[in-house]
Amino acid sequence: MNSSRFLHALLLFALAFTVAASRGAAQHVTDEWVEQMAAPLIEHRVVDGISIGYIEGDRYGIVHLGSATRSGKNADNLTLYELGSITKVFTSLLLADAVVQGKIDLNAAAEAENAAGIRLPARDGAPIKWIDLSTHRAGLPKLPANLAPADPKNPYRDYTPAQAAEFVNNFALPRAPGEAMEYSNFGASLLGYLLAQQAGKSYQELLNERITGPLKMTDVAVELSDAQAKRLATPHDRVGSPTPAWTRTDFIGSGGIHANMRDMLRFAKAQLEPPAGPLGEAIELAWKQQRDADKSGPAMGLGWMIAGDGQTRWHNGGTGGTRTAIFINRELKAAAIVLCNTAVANEADQLATLIIQQAAGHDIQPPAAGEDAAAAVDEADEKAREKKGGKAPAIDAKLRRRLVGRYQLRPDFIFDVNDEDGRLMVGITNQATQEVFPDSPTRWSYRGIEATLEFKLPKSGVARSLVLHQNGAKQVARRISK
């Protein structure tokens, strides 16, 4: 397996995300705990600003850290963020709503009269169905080949439904619709456009009428008013430099919504306790598992990814300057929402995951002060080894046992580390277990793969986390088992 395939697997493979449903009456998630978990992201300048919302039973909380604007203003409950791909959950809920109203058959061909003249292709007589667009099984690519942005920092600004028609009307599907999952921003945008066209409304009008209006989410918008624009959290690229917010034409469905934390908590509450009436029925339909997990991707509802526990529904999102995540577990009566105004890698997902685990009673401990000092120790070890001729250090059994455990990077990726007859073996679901080799007591590398695992060891006890170093990126996986 080469490094690019390894990284691809890191992002896409699904596996078990187990949460214990046995919870006492005690509150596990608190504002103080959330702040302790998120504070290192600000202190180490990983993100510029972050808003975290949670629900646990009949309790909820919101924590804001860092700066929301260039002037240094802190975020508040009304600060707007780009949701990125969380928009897909709303688009699929619009689909579920149309099904409940009897306007669409979920398993019928996705056809609607539309101004752009979009006609979806078929393969061997099998058409793309509405459900295929919602579950990323239409056979469409992630992005259309004719997307050539004039401004790479605002890539969707000029892409129109007419251009989408030009591409998709002549696209040959690589396989039959429904056969395999291939995550497609393009397919979700087509879904949103066709739903709006069928309803004879703009996407924003349909969203307000069918979802945000009934749920009293009064500040959700695609195109921002002047007043809303002043409350938009300034987007930042991965290195922390301000970058433009993304804008779109009326091709919205994959990522064009803006929202604040107050409204997103209302949305999460509605998923936990659907209201009576058609919208509640639509929420239940979208929540229901529609596709099983397979080697191509995770189980899915309509728009929702389903974690390996079968209970947690989740989605994340990102633009050129934001990262977002929403995780909801009905069995635990818990939800976690993270809105961040910096285009980091997996930090939003990881924080939301930890909140759900804490709600499950896993007693996740905040990072210890100075825990990052292990990196300096590793560097010293590496330099010392280089001076000795680059020989691998001898690692005793006691140290290997401190590394053994399960480490979760995302809800869809877990490292399973075991000591097998003196060899440190790392398993990843749906992939072969591979041996890693010591560069130092805390840094272990794959052979034939440009990837290194760095274990974060305290002075005593087991490793609390590991860091995957690959392609210049660092991604933290936290221990989830003793």
Side-chain angles (χ1 to χ4, degrees):
M1 181 187 297
N2 61 34
S3 61
S4 63
R5 285 191 61 196
F6 185 83
L7 184 59
H8 180 74
L10 175 68
L11 296 173
L12 297 181
F13 273 106
L15 65 153
F17 171 39
T18 304
V19 293
S22 56
R23 301 168 61 244
Q27 182 178 3
H28 297 93
V29 184
T30 64
D31 289 4
E32 293 75 19
W33 179 88
V34 170
E35 184 168 346
Q36 286 180 316
M37 294 302 299
L41 297 176
I42 301 296
E43 293 167 1
H44 298 302
R45 304 188 69 179
V46 176
V47 303
D48 286 81
I50 191 168
S51 295
I52 307 112
Y54 66 87
I55 299 173
E56 185 185 10
D58 59 357
R59 299 176 291 265
Y60 74 93
I62 299 175
V63 172
H64 304 288
L65 298 172
S67 301
T69 67
R70 291 174 181 164
S71 64
K73 180 181 177 181
N74 293 335
D76 58 33
N77 294 355
L78 300 182
T79 298
L80 290 162
Y81 291 85
E82 299 174 287
L83 292 186
S85 286
I86 291 178
T87 299
K88 295 178 176 68
V89 174
F90 288 85
T91 299
S92 287
L93 184 52
L94 288 174
L95 170 62
D97 179 68
V99 172
V100 167
Q101 292 183 73
K103 295 180 177 180
I104 283 177
D105 179 346
L106 191 59
N107 291 293
E111 298 174 346
E113 292 294 327
N114 63 91
I118 289 172
R119 302 184 304 277
L120 299 185
R123 173 71 183 254
D124 299 328
I128 293 174
K129 301 175 183 178
W130 292 103
I131 192 172
D132 296 328
L133 291 173
S134 179
T135 56
H136 300 284
R137 289 179 175 265
L140 296 170
K142 180 178 180 179
L143 296 171
N146 65 345
L147 176 64
D151 181 1
K153 291 187 176 181
N154 194 0
Y156 300 104
R157 181 188 66 188
D158 304 314
Y159 194 78
T160 66
Q163 289 174 290
E166 178 185 357
F167 173 75
V168 76
N169 291 0
N170 298 289
F171 180 72
L173 292 174
R175 58 187 169 274
E179 185 176 299
M181 181 180 180
E182 181 178 357
Y183 189 86
S184 178
N185 287 321
F186 184 57
S189 291
L190 287 169
L191 176 60
Y193 177 74
L194 293 176
L195 289 170
Q197 287 286 297
Q198 186 195 59
K201 304 176 186 295
S202 70
Y203 182 95
Q204 175 79 70
E205 290 170 339
L206 186 62
L207 181 71
N208 289 348
E209 178 184 306
R210 304 305 306 176
I211 300 177
T212 61
L215 294 181
K216 295 181 171 54
M217 299 170 64
T218 58
D219 210 20
V220 176
V222 174
E223 293 186 11
L224 300 178
S225 67
D226 290 343
Q228 288 175 320
K230 292 177 181 178
R231 292 188 281 111
L232 178 67
T234 301
H236 294 79
D237 62 23
R238 190 166 183 173
V239 298
S241 299
T243 191
W246 283 2
T247 56
R248 299 178 184 243
T249 63
D250 53 350
F251 207 51
I252 306 299
S254 66
I257 294 178
H258 306 79
N260 60 44
M261 184 57 76
R262 180 193 65 183
D263 282 346
M264 288 304 295
L265 278 176
R266 288 173 176 164
F267 182 74
K269 184 69 173 178
Q271 311 313 302
L272 289 168
E273 299 176 8
L279 179 55
E281 294 177 39
I283 289 172
E284 292 287 13
L285 179 59
W287 185 270
K288 179 182 177 182
Q289 181 170 321
Q290 303 288 343
R291 291 290 183 261
D292 294 336
D294 60 24
K295 63 181 181 181
S296 69
M300 285 199 69
L302 296 181
W304 289 111
M305 308 287 183
I306 302 178
D309 62 357
Q311 296 293 328
T312 305
R313 269 59 172 171
W314 68 279
H315 212 294
N316 56 13
T319 68
T322 63
R323 285 295 182 271
T324 60
I326 179 169
F327 286 56
I328 300 175
N329 186 303
R330 286 185 177 175
E331 187 174 350
L332 298 174
K333 299 180 180 179
I337 303 162
V338 179
L339 306 177
C340 170
N341 71 338
T342 308
V344 289
N346 297 302
E347 284 80 358
D349 303 41
Q350 292 168 359
L351 183 54
T353 300
L354 293 173
I355 291 171
I356 294 297
Q357 291 181 328
Q358 181 74 1
H362 280 296
D363 191 24
I364 307 296
Q365 294 299 309
E371 189 173 351
D372 285 346
V377 174
D378 290 339
E379 290 178 10
D381 286 342
E382 287 185 280
K383 290 178 180 178
R385 179 165 57 85
E386 289 172 3
K387 290 181 180 179
K388 293 178 181 179
K391 294 181 180 179
I395 306 297
D396 62 23
K398 182 178 180 181
L399 188 140
R400 287 195 303 274
R401 285 195 296 270
R402 295 175 67 195
L403 308 182
V404 168
R406 305 185 77 225
Y407 301 84
Q408 185 168 34
L409 180 73
R410 298 162 53 110
D412 54 355
F413 196 90
I414 296 176
F415 295 95
D416 196 349
V417 180
N418 289 287
D419 182 10
E420 298 181 8
D421 299 323
R423 302 162 64 201
L424 199 67
M425 306 297 293
V426 180
I428 301 170
T429 298
N430 295 327
Q431 299 183 51
T433 296
Q434 298 188 63
E435 184 177 3
V436 291
F437 301 86
D439 300 317
S440 77
T442 55
R443 289 182 76 99
W444 298 66
S445 294
Y446 289 87
R447 296 277 171 84
I449 300 173
E450 296 293 332
T452 298
L453 303 180
E454 174 192 355
F455 292 87
K456 296 295 188 179
L457 276 170
K459 291 182 179 180
S460 62
V462 297
R464 293 170 176 162
S465 62
L466 66 79
V467 181
L468 171 68
H469 295 263
Q470 188 176 40
N471 296 337
K474 298 180 182 180
Q475 301 183 78
V476 180
R478 294 188 178 278
R479 176 181 287 273
I480 59 172
S481 65
K482 296 182 180 180

